[in-house]
Amino acid sequence: MIAPTKYPVQRRTAGDNVWLSRAGDDARAALASLGARTLNYEVLDSEAAVGRAMLAELEMAAAEKDGELTIILLGGRGAQAMHRLLGQLAETNQADQLLNRLNVFTQDALAPMRMENSFSFVRDFERLLGEDFFRKVKSFTSMRTDTNDLEAGLIDYLESLSAHGEIDLLFLGLGPEAGGASHLAYIKPASGAGATDLAGVIPVSSSILEHHITKFKAGGSAVSAADEAECRQATHILTLGPAAFLRAGRIVQSIVDADTAPAKRASFQRLIETEIDDDIETRQRQLDENPGLWIRLHPNVRSLILPNVLA
């Protein structure tokens, strides 16, 4: 166990990976309780249409609940169209009643790295969402990447997330991995993530590092050679774990960048075609080999893709 905090956390290692869960949670029982589902995806005609659909999901979540709303933002290309729309709305007073209710959290990060680095998701959020958005939302919490104790910083993040109750809406993408595998947030294959793991600190892989840098450049971020050099020195990934996804009220997935990340086509096909086994040991092995499959264990998912994902 780690030192006691307001938020009781169990620390577990899987090789060089560190996973954090609520103390006392039973990973095997949690996995056994989950039913596998078909991923019913929708093909939209443009990235702008995906952005509008994601914004509509946020508006619907706000309409269905009184009071504060807790959401997890998606970094990189997948949600940029929605972020631009939110940024435009924040410049007016049209959506103030919605924005003022939002507790906004990030879902992953490369570390160690200065928070000011242009390859940080936070900088990309600032660029697209704008100052007015951050001024109007109720709170914004990101994973700390500039601390000497990454685990302690991640526990602080989990404490803040827990204080806001259930995640109402979680935006996710899909990252490509070798052999048609995939990652969600930054849970990479063979990292040992389990059904009760809320967050993890895992060594960065060369494939994820290249994917991160490529998608930032393709998405139009203004980046410098010095920032890229620092980003390439990152040694670990901070990421939400499967338990955070599974406990979200609703997941909205978006995949819009198959042209710049063509490996996503094979990853998506494997995601929708894999038969998830009922045997718990076999199921855990499938999920560890292909973490993208975790999304198919959630009962309330909307997956939005472009035609080029199926090309």
Side-chain angles (χ1 to χ4, degrees):
M1 295 284 291
I2 344 185
T5 66
K6 291 180 294 183
Y7 185 74
V9 172
Q10 176 78 39
R11 181 185 190 271
R12 179 179 64 84
T13 59
D16 293 330
N17 309 282
V18 175
W19 292 103
L20 306 174
S21 62
R22 287 193 182 99
D25 282 355
D26 185 333
R28 181 181 174 86
L31 186 58
S33 70
L34 300 170
R37 295 166 173 83
T38 300
L39 187 67
N40 296 313
Y41 57 88
E42 302 171 44
V43 183
L44 301 185
D45 61 4
S46 68
E47 192 169 341
V50 171
R52 289 192 296 271
M54 295 171 74
L55 178 58
E57 286 283 344
L58 178 58
E59 293 170 338
M60 182 170 63
E64 293 176 349
K65 179 183 178 181
D66 295 328
E68 299 178 17
L69 201 70
T70 298
I71 68 170
I72 308 290
L73 288 180
L74 169 63
R77 183 75 177 278
Q80 286 188 344
M82 180 186 72
H83 295 163
R84 291 189 182 95
L85 290 173
L86 280 172
Q88 292 165 10
L89 285 172
E91 292 175 352
T92 72
N93 60 6
Q94 297 178 44
D96 284 6
Q97 289 187 341
L98 167 60
L99 297 177
N100 294 163
R101 297 166 56 195
L102 293 183
N103 295 306
V104 183
F105 288 80
T106 59
Q107 63 182 263
D108 47 25
L110 295 178
M113 195 163 69
R114 291 175 300 111
M115 297 295 288
E116 295 76 21
N117 189 294
S118 55
F119 284 91
S120 163
F121 284 126
V122 177
R123 300 286 78 74
D124 207 40
F125 293 146
E126 290 175 347
R127 176 177 70 90
L128 295 165
L129 292 163
E131 292 182 3
D132 289 324
F133 175 87
F134 288 93
R135 179 172 55 82
K136 291 181 176 182
V137 296
K138 190 169 187 66
S139 69
F140 177 81
T141 306
S142 62
M143 295 175 173
R144 300 297 306 185
T145 60
D146 57 354
T147 173
N148 292 327
D149 191 339
L150 296 176
E151 288 183 40
L154 194 54
I155 292 171
D156 288 343
Y157 167 95
L158 288 175
E159 287 182 342
S160 180
L161 183 60
S162 176
H164 291 293
E166 182 185 73
I167 298 167
D168 296 291
L169 188 57
L170 172 68
F171 293 104
L172 277 177
L174 185 78
E177 293 287 344
S182 52
H183 62 262
L184 292 179
Y186 269 148
I187 306 173
K188 67 180 182 180
S191 59
T196 57
D197 293 324
L198 289 162
V201 181
I202 63 179
V204 70
S205 67
S206 58
S207 61
I208 284 182
L209 192 58
E210 288 302 324
H211 177 65
H212 180 91
I213 291 171
T214 298
K215 70 183 178 183
F216 264 65
K217 291 180 175 179
S221 296
V223 297
S224 69
D227 282 354
E228 181 174 344
E230 182 188 31
C231 182
R232 289 186 179 279
Q233 293 300 310
T235 58
H236 287 81
I237 298 166
L238 309 178
T239 182
L240 283 180
F245 307 154
L246 297 170
R247 294 172 184 174
R250 182 162 173 82
I251 293 175
V252 177
Q253 180 185 56
S254 58
I255 310 174
V256 302
D257 53 348
D259 286 340
T260 55
K264 288 194 177 186
R265 296 175 183 131
S267 295
F268 187 72
Q269 286 300 317
R270 185 174 172 187
L271 170 65
I272 61 177
E273 293 173 359
T274 297
E275 182 175 345
I276 299 177
D277 207 287
D278 290 331
D279 176 75
I280 299 306
E281 282 74 21
T282 304
R283 175 180 286 196
Q284 180 60 55
R285 185 169 62 251
Q286 288 179 303
L287 293 163
D288 198 32
E289 291 173 353
N290 187 13
L293 292 173
W294 283 106
I295 198 172
R296 288 187 45 203
L297 300 180
H298 194 285
N300 192 6
V301 175
R302 186 182 184 189
S303 181
L304 305 169
I305 70 170
L306 295 185
N308 58 13
V309 178
L310 302 174

